[in-house]
Amino acid sequence: MLTEETVIMFGALIALGLVFLGTLALLWPSRGMPDAASGEPRQRWRSSHPRHAAGARERYLKRAKASEATPIGRPQSTQTVAPARVTATPVTAAPVSPVSIAPAPPTPAPVSPTPTTSAPVTPTALVDYCLELSQQHRHADVVETASAALATDAPAERRPAGAHESAALWSILGLAQQGLGDHAAARAALDTAIATAPDLERPKYQRQLVALALAAARDLMAAAGAPAAPDSDGRVSSLRDALVWLARGRAAAPDDAELRELTATAETRLWPAYEQLVLALSQRQEFRAARGILREALERPDVPPARAETFRELFSGTFSGEIGQLTAQAIRSMQEARESEALSALERAERLLESVHDEALPPKRREEVDRRLWWSYDKLGRRRVDTGAFEEALEPLVRALRLAATAPDRQAETRGALVRAFEGWTESAALAIREVAGAGDREAALVRSDKLWTRLRAALHEGLTEQDLGVAFARVRRLFEEIGRP
């Protein structure tokens, strides 16, 4: 006899079994389970007979068509169609391959047709075609198509038929090149359009050129006003190019008020730009480049008189600045015992001074430059005299004496140093010539004595007198008597 505990245990086991079976039914429904929506048994797309597969596919298509016919957002009809009863008949034939419904291919997204790049053959159609491309901002295609049609080797059937079509095509080409940012090519194309167009159509293309000139000039003036580098050469170049554009526009439309006003603004900004650039170059000691900018500014016919006077002063200042740079370089070389480099720098400065016209360098500034050069030459010569390099001291002291011609005090100071250099040189040279003659080489002694005498005579034409060189001449005459030279 079963006890109460045994009955409870069996009941719990049966309940667990039912729960397990229910879970399996939910996870893996059997083929005969009814569909929750339609009450129709779920059918897989696999059947043991072709007729069953065909019926299932027909029911699937009916449901799909019904779902498509129902508008979105509107509840479907609750009426259900009674499914046809399918009776499974055992078949002993071989199983048939499963029948599957392939999904419908996706509908491609609509693609906007791309205009063809091949140009029409008719000249009128060619102009319309390029105009259409231009309106679509396809500037590169316009340039390619129009350039090919306007080329000298283009086929006759593709060339513009006459002046009207040719001018129109050149105009469209110019506008396309302007759209690409090539203002120079756009200007050339519009110039050709103006030259090609019939007389009645020419004003239209002239107005296009004026519009192009205004746009290009405004862009260049905006670039010149950028705060990136106010003293750069780019600022002057931009303003100068803007004036070139405006001049071309005024040639096409002389009475255009906007062109005239913009030209005045560009000129007003150009002159201070010249001055700032010159000052910046001078500060960087690029004096030759600064003089080139000033020559360009002074050669412009529209330079105001007051600005021209300022530019001339700056021009002379570049010479004195460069000479000052060279003299400073010579002094540094002397301090570092590189006297040959010092002399070379002073010679370059003196050549530069000689190349300057009197009107380019006022007398006061020239006197200042002369004094600077004199001081450098005199210092170099005295340095060599003090070290016993008498012959090497002659050239810088002679140059210093020439530069001190207008200053008696400086002249007397340099003359005394030059006389000491000649006296020291003749003494050492006479001693060397006696040694050569004593060694039996009389011909070499005569050659060297001739050189000594010639140099002394030349000094009489370099600012010294025979009285200044009395001691030197006396030494040379004694030398001649010793070696038997007349």
Side-chain angles (χ1 to χ4, degrees):
M1 187 174 185
L2 296 178
T3 63
E4 184 178 357
E5 290 83 359
T6 304
V7 173
I8 293 172
M9 182 183 66
F10 277 111
L13 289 176
I14 293 171
L16 289 175
L18 291 175
V19 170
F20 178 73
L21 292 177
T23 304
L24 290 179
L26 290 175
L27 295 177
W28 293 287
S30 63
R31 181 179 305 179
M33 292 292 292
D35 194 320
S38 60
E40 177 183 343
R42 290 194 180 98
Q43 296 291 336
R44 297 182 183 179
W45 296 114
R46 180 187 299 270
S47 178
S48 61
H49 195 279
R51 186 183 58 185
H52 298 164
R57 182 170 56 185
E58 182 179 356
R59 287 191 301 274
Y60 172 79
L61 294 177
K62 285 180 180 181
R63 288 198 302 271
K65 187 178 299 184
S67 62
E68 291 179 359
T70 304
I72 297 175
R74 182 179 300 175
Q76 296 183 3
S77 174
T78 57
Q79 182 179 357
T80 58
V81 180
R85 185 176 183 83
V86 180
T87 305
T89 305
V91 180
T92 59
V96 182
S97 300
V99 178
S100 60
I101 302 300
T107 304
V111 179
S112 58
T114 303
T116 178
T117 56
S118 59
V121 177
T122 308
T124 304
L126 176 64
V127 173
D128 295 339
Y129 175 72
C130 289
L131 184 59
E132 180 183 356
L133 293 177
S134 179
Q135 292 171 351
Q136 297 174 3
H137 303 288
R138 297 174 57 185
H139 303 304
D141 293 338
V142 174
V143 171
E144 180 181 359
T145 304
S147 299
L150 294 169
T152 55
D153 57 349
E157 64 274 8
R158 288 186 175 271
R159 294 181 186 175
H164 171 77
E165 290 80 6
S166 179
L169 198 57
W170 277 112
S171 170
I172 298 172
L173 175 60
L175 296 177
Q177 287 165 333
Q178 181 183 2
L180 294 175
D182 192 350
H183 289 163
R187 171 183 166 182
L190 289 176
D191 284 338
T192 308
I194 294 172
T196 307
D199 294 339
L200 295 178
E201 300 179 4
R202 192 164 297 162
K204 175 177 64 175
Y205 303 119
Q206 288 175 340
R207 288 192 297 272
Q208 290 181 1
L209 181 59
V210 169
L212 173 64
L214 286 171
R218 288 194 184 97
D219 291 344
L220 290 167
M221 292 175 67
D231 57 352
S232 67
D233 186 29
R235 183 182 182 189
V236 172
S237 178
S238 296
L239 291 172
R240 186 175 50 210
D241 294 344
L243 287 171
V244 172
W245 273 105
L246 293 170
R248 183 64 188 92
R250 294 182 69 181
D255 300 329
D256 191 280
E258 191 173 3
L259 284 172
R260 186 167 53 251
E261 181 180 353
L262 199 59
T263 300
T265 303
E267 289 176 349
T268 303
R269 294 173 57 184
L270 178 62
W271 310 125
Y274 271 127
E275 184 175 352
Q276 291 175 5
L277 177 58
V278 169
L279 292 175
L281 291 173
S282 300
Q283 188 176 5
R284 298 196 298 264
Q285 296 186 347
E286 299 177 15
F287 299 106
R288 293 182 181 272
R291 283 195 292 274
I293 295 296
L294 287 169
R295 288 192 185 98
E296 175 188 319
L298 289 170
E299 289 173 358
R300 294 188 68 90
D302 49 353
V303 56
R307 287 288 182 180
E309 184 64 25
T310 303
F311 292 156
R312 292 189 189 96
E313 292 178 1
L314 291 173
F315 192 78
S316 62
T318 60
F319 284 107
S320 59
E322 186 172 0
I323 292 173
Q325 177 191 13
L326 291 171
T327 53
Q329 179 182 346
I331 293 172
R332 287 194 301 270
S333 299
M334 282 188 284
Q335 292 173 349
E336 298 172 0
R338 293 183 284 112
E339 296 181 355
S340 59
E341 295 181 9
L343 182 60
S344 176
L346 291 174
E347 289 174 348
R348 292 201 306 272
E350 190 175 4
R351 287 195 300 269
L352 178 62
L353 179 61
E354 292 173 353
S355 66
V356 181
H357 300 291
D358 293 337
E359 60 272 12
L361 200 62
K364 184 177 180 180
R365 191 168 294 236
R366 182 178 287 273
E367 181 182 356
E368 175 188 349
V369 172
D370 287 345
R371 184 172 62 252
R372 190 178 299 174
L373 277 176
W374 164 82
W375 185 88
S376 302
Y377 274 127
D378 185 77
K379 183 176 180 64
L380 178 59
R382 288 174 180 275
R383 182 187 180 92
R384 289 180 172 179
V385 169
D386 294 339
T387 58
F390 299 109
E391 186 176 5
E392 291 79 3
L394 295 177
E395 183 177 359
L397 288 173
V398 167
R399 292 176 181 269
L401 184 62
R402 184 173 63 248
L403 290 168
T406 59
D409 54 341
R410 297 199 301 264
Q411 194 176 34
E413 185 178 348
T414 303
R415 182 181 286 110
L418 184 57
V419 168
R420 290 189 1 246
F422 270 110
E423 291 175 354
W425 176 57
T426 54
E427 183 179 1
S428 59
L431 180 60
I433 292 171
R434 288 189 185 97
E435 292 177 355
V436 172
D441 194 351
R442 184 173 181 276
E443 292 296 330
L446 291 175
V447 171
R448 296 178 69 172
S449 63
D450 288 342
K451 176 183 176 183
L452 182 61
W453 180 259
T454 303
R455 184 66 187 90
L456 278 176
R457 298 297 299 177
L460 299 177
H461 304 284
E462 293 172 343
L464 296 179
T465 63
E466 193 168 350
Q467 182 179 358
D468 295 332
L469 299 175
V471 176
F473 274 116
R475 285 178 180 152
V476 175
R477 289 190 181 99
R478 286 196 301 269
L479 174 65
F480 285 176
E481 291 174 0
E482 293 176 9
I483 65 177
R485 184 191 184 282

